[in-house]
Amino acid sequence: MKNIFKPGDQKSFKRTVLESDCAIFNGELLHRVCSTFALARDFEWSSRLFFLEMKEENEEGVGTMLSIDHKNPAFVGEEILFVATAEKIERNELICSIEAKVGDRIIATGKTGQKMLKKEKLKALFGMEY
C-alpha cells in the first residue's frame, strides 16, 4: 500500500439524486429523497477514492465500517457534494469522516472504515478471483 496521504487530506465527488436513489421497497416508492442505502454507496465511494491511488497491483480495499447520520433531505434532481476527510491511516486501515451537502445544507455526516488487503487473502476469504 502506498502511504501517500495523511490525516486531513480530502477527496470529493458530486452526484445528482436520481429516482433510483429513492427508497423503494417491494416496488413501493416511500419518499422522493436520497435514501440511506444510496448515501451508503456514495459514502463508501468517496472514501474509496483514496484507495484507488493507494493500492498496489496485488491489493484491494474492503469496507469494514459505515455510519450515517441524516441531517436534511436531498431531493430528486439536487446535486450532492460528498467530501471524505482522512482521519486515521494506520498500517493497512483508513478511517474517513464524510460530509454530504447540497449547497450550504448538510444532508448527512458519518464515517467509513476500509482495510487494504492482498488479493490472495481476499481470494481465500471470499473464494473468488480479482
Side-chain angles (χ1 to χ4, degrees), residues 20-32:
S20 59
D21 295 321
C22 298
I24 301 170
F25 294 102
N26 298 316
E28 181 183 346
L29 174 66
L30 300 181
H31 316 289
R32 286 192 80 241

Side-chain angles (χ1 to χ4, degrees), residues 1 7 9 15-17 20 48-50 54 57-58 66 75 78 86 88 97 99-100 106 108-109 123 125:
M1 182 173 93
D9 286 345
R15 178 184 297 280
T16 299
V17 180
S20 59
R48 180 168 170 75
L49 294 172
F50 286 103
M54 295 170 74
E57 183 67 29
N58 65 342
L66 171 68
F75 300 96
E78 290 187 315
K88 180 174 88 168
S97 60
E99 183 178 74
I106 296 175
T109 59
K123 180 181 174 185
L125 288 170

Side-chain angles (χ1 to χ4, degrees), residues 92-111:
N92 66 329
E93 183 178 37
L94 170 66
I95 303 294
C96 289
S97 60
I98 315 291
E99 183 178 74
K101 294 174 77 172
V102 172
D104 292 333
R105 192 171 80 239
I106 296 175
I107 302 306
T109 59
K111 288 189 185 291

